[in-house]
Amino acid sequence: MNNLGILSAAVMVALSAPSALAKVSEAEAAKLGTELTPMGAVKAANADGTIPAWDGGIKSAVAGYEKGMHHPDPFSQDKIEFTITNANKDKYKANLSEGQMKLFELYPDTYKMNVYQTRRTASVPQFVYDATKANATRAELVSEGNGVKGASIGVPFPMPQNGLEVIWNHVLRFRGVDVETARSQAAPTAGGSYTLVETSEEIRFQYSRPEMTLDQLNATNTLFYFKQVVTQPARLAGTALLVKETMDQEALPRQAWTYNTGQRRVRKAPNVAFDTPGSVSDGLRTTDDFDMFNGSPVRYNWELIGKQEVYIPYNDYKLHSDKLEYDQIVHPGHINPEFVRWEKHRVWVVKAQLKEGMRHIYKTRTFYIDEDSWQVSLADMYDNRDELYRVAVAHGLNYYEVPTHWSTLEVFHDLQSRRYLAMGLDNEGRMYNFDAKLSEANFTPAALRRAGIR
């Protein structure tokens, strides 16, 4: 830890292990919306004012915006305050992760970070704030941290007491209710050439539905349904994946099915989890890298390090713009840094250490989670030799028609091959539809087969 930790070392030792006693008192919960934001972040500015106070985030859409559009940049007039390069990175290392420092070293002539004014734009609907406050006094970990009970709709642990609670906040953060997306990904060679893989995705967030009750969640043990169908290139078109994610993964692990166009049949896929290579990822990410981290946390011990002020991608509307073509973004070594907006934000730092006897290609993972949105913004992954292996970066923005803070692009850097996967490219495609009307019938093996047939 090389910067501010707002929790003392003594307290952090006490909080490093999972606890079933996560509930806070009514008096503590009353801080939500007063000295803390409704999501549990520190409401006040930092000491030197470089991180402002949270004032509610973005509350309405930008003038001229209509649903279905790419999101115009509310801050297009902001100027770059300074640029971090390999030459001056040591000046800023207190606010950089080890992975960020390594990227400067690997690409000293091309990698840089344009730093802008910090704008705390994260926001969600009022019903999510209300649910989060209710969760604070009743949510708890179950199954030795492999599940959560006593929570619905909002984040379960707005005042986290250990690393597992922080990670569950990321997994259960609000991203809408029914969402349709069309996203692309590119895995360029070291020279920069790539084949674009296009996917169509549907997500039904059971946990986040405004009408969802604790009894319903307990009865169904379902967090969300996810369906992905590859639409391009032709050789992969029709390949499809269906996932039913559970709330208590000890009681019932994740359920998954795949559709193979060659065999023209649906198969159960229990291996769609942990460090199985991610679908159509060219081996550059694991299954549990998707969304920066997903799935069961059971293979790791989770340590809450504390809070730190770090430069993370934020308000990346320029990178999200439909005025850009993919070739302008996808460059050799890393994406084009001219389109990335970096800001200083407070983040929770969580270290995951592989348990003895467990297997994963990542022995250690360090996550940096934005305090305002609970989005994992950065992740450093280490191999079994304790060497930095991969660096993941989530480029977030506020989808203000919902509203929700979510990534527009996730980039997974493989330091050994000097390649990367850019996942979520949407500049040349249609925009997310947060008004989709999806039923559970959209997420059956039969529906998967229908979706996969060319």
Side-chain angles (χ1 to χ4, degrees):
M1 196 70 179
N2 56 5
N3 193 32
L4 175 68
I6 66 165
L7 301 176
S8 72
V11 173
M12 292 317 306
V13 169
L15 301 183
S16 62
S19 170
L21 303 176
K23 308 169 188 178
V24 301
S25 67
E26 293 286 352
E28 285 294 302
K31 296 178 181 178
L32 296 171
T34 54
E35 62 185 85
L36 301 178
T37 74
M39 299 294 278
V42 175
K43 198 170 187 178
N46 68 344
D48 63 6
T50 53
I51 299 174
W54 184 80
D55 63 0
I58 292 182
K59 303 180 183 68
S60 60
V62 172
Y65 168 78
E66 295 180 4
K67 288 186 177 182
M69 294 172 56
H70 281 65
H71 298 74
D73 186 354
F75 314 115
S76 59
Q77 301 305 308
D78 285 2
K79 304 300 182 185
I80 298 170
E81 294 192 341
F82 57 90
T83 299
I84 306 173
T85 67
N86 188 58
N88 68 359
K89 67 180 186 299
D90 287 343
K91 177 180 176 182
Y92 302 99
K93 65 181 180 181
N95 305 112
L96 297 171
S97 73
E98 184 174 346
Q100 290 172 312
M101 294 289 285
K102 190 66 175 180
L103 291 174
F104 284 118
E105 295 173 13
L106 286 179
Y107 308 105
D109 299 323
T110 56
Y111 188 75
K112 64 180 182 180
M113 294 168 54
N114 291 328
V115 179
Y116 291 77
Q117 172 185 353
T118 297
R119 294 185 179 273
R120 296 177 67 181
T121 52
S123 59
V124 293
Q126 184 62 46
F127 74 88
V128 181
Y129 293 141
D130 295 341
T132 297
K133 190 168 186 177
N135 291 342
T137 59
R138 67 191 186 191
E140 57 186 304
L141 298 172
V142 296
S143 301
E144 297 185 349
N146 208 20
V148 175
K149 74 173 184 179
S152 65
I153 304 170
V155 296
F157 309 111
M159 301 172 176
Q161 300 177 41
N162 55 62
L164 260 176
E165 292 179 4
V166 174
I167 288 300
W168 274 109
N169 283 349
H170 164 78
V171 171
L172 298 178
R173 73 199 189 282
F174 180 80
R175 287 161 283 171
V177 178
D178 292 323
V179 186
E180 293 177 332
T181 74
R183 309 195 303 162
S184 299
Q185 60 187 46
T189 65
S193 62
Y194 64 92
T195 298
L196 197 70
V197 177
E198 300 178 11
T199 63
S200 176
E201 298 173 356
E202 296 176 345
I203 316 171
R204 178 181 166 93
F205 291 105
Q206 295 290 94
Y207 176 88
S208 301
R209 310 190 79 77
E211 71 278 8
M212 187 55 60
T213 67
L214 296 181
D215 287 343
Q216 288 173 319
L217 282 174
N218 289 335
T220 62
N221 193 20
T222 303
L223 289 180
F224 62 78
Y225 296 97
F226 172 81
K227 184 168 65 181
Q228 180 189 71
V229 181
V230 178
T231 56
Q232 291 290 340
R235 63 183 174 84
L236 297 175
T239 302
L241 170 69
L242 172 64
V243 173
K244 175 185 175 182
E245 191 73 310
T246 55
M247 192 158 180
D248 183 342
Q249 300 222 352
E250 182 71 21
L252 179 66
R254 164 185 291 169
Q255 307 291 289
W257 298 262
T258 58
Y259 177 78
N260 183 289
T261 55
Q263 298 175 340
R264 299 182 69 84
R265 62 183 297 182
V266 174
R267 291 182 178 273
K268 289 206 73 171
N271 61 333
V272 177
F274 302 112
D275 59 353
T276 301
S279 57
V280 293
S281 67
D282 215 10
L284 294 173
R285 70 166 177 86
T286 62
T287 294
D288 62 7
D289 276 330
F290 190 91
D291 193 36
M292 302 297 280
F293 181 80
N294 73 92
S296 169
V298 72
R299 294 191 180 182
Y300 290 92
N301 292 313
W302 299 83
E303 180 184 2
L304 181 55
I305 303 298
K307 275 192 181 176
Q308 187 177 349
E309 295 176 7
V310 176
Y311 295 112
I312 59 176
Y314 223 88
N315 297 309
D316 251 332
Y317 293 95
K318 184 185 294 186
L319 183 64
H320 169 79
S321 171
D322 59 354
K323 304 298 189 294
L324 294 179
E325 297 178 352
Y326 297 144
D327 284 348
Q328 294 175 272
I329 297 172
V330 181
H331 281 193
H334 51 79
I335 65 171
N336 190 337
E338 296 296 347
F339 302 124
V340 179
R341 177 181 177 124
W342 296 87
E343 300 179 1
K344 185 195 287 185
H345 286 261
R346 283 183 293 242
V347 299
W348 291 97
V349 183
V350 173
K351 182 177 180 180
Q353 193 74 33
L354 193 63
K355 292 178 180 177
E356 186 175 352
M358 290 290 187
R359 177 193 166 280
H360 200 290
I361 64 170
Y362 304 146
K363 180 180 177 181
T364 306
R365 305 162 87 154
T366 305
F367 296 95
Y368 299 82
I369 300 98
D370 171 40
E371 70 166 347
D372 288 328
S373 65
W374 299 102
Q375 164 80 53
V376 173
S377 297
L378 304 171
D380 294 344
M381 284 79 81
Y382 299 80
D383 63 21
N384 288 303
R385 300 168 297 176
D386 295 317
E387 293 183 3
L388 192 60
Y389 180 13
R390 289 177 178 163
V391 178
V393 184
H395 297 266
L397 56 84
N398 187 314
Y399 293 87
Y400 34 68
E401 75 273 32
V402 183
T404 182
H405 180 98
W406 199 359
S407 60
T408 180
L409 184 67
E410 295 170 5
V411 182
F412 300 88
H413 296 269
D414 188 297
L415 306 184
Q416 296 176 2
S417 66
R418 296 207 175 190
R419 295 183 62 202
Y420 68 93
L421 175 69
M423 189 172 70
L425 293 160
D426 57 18
N427 310 76
E428 298 179 31
R430 71 178 188 271
M431 191 30 50
Y432 291 16
N433 175 16
F434 289 96
D435 290 329
K437 302 301 180 186
L438 304 173
S439 71
E440 294 182 35
N442 292 78
F443 301 95
T444 65
L448 183 69
R449 186 178 189 279
R450 291 193 298 271
I453 295 175
R454 302 189 210 189

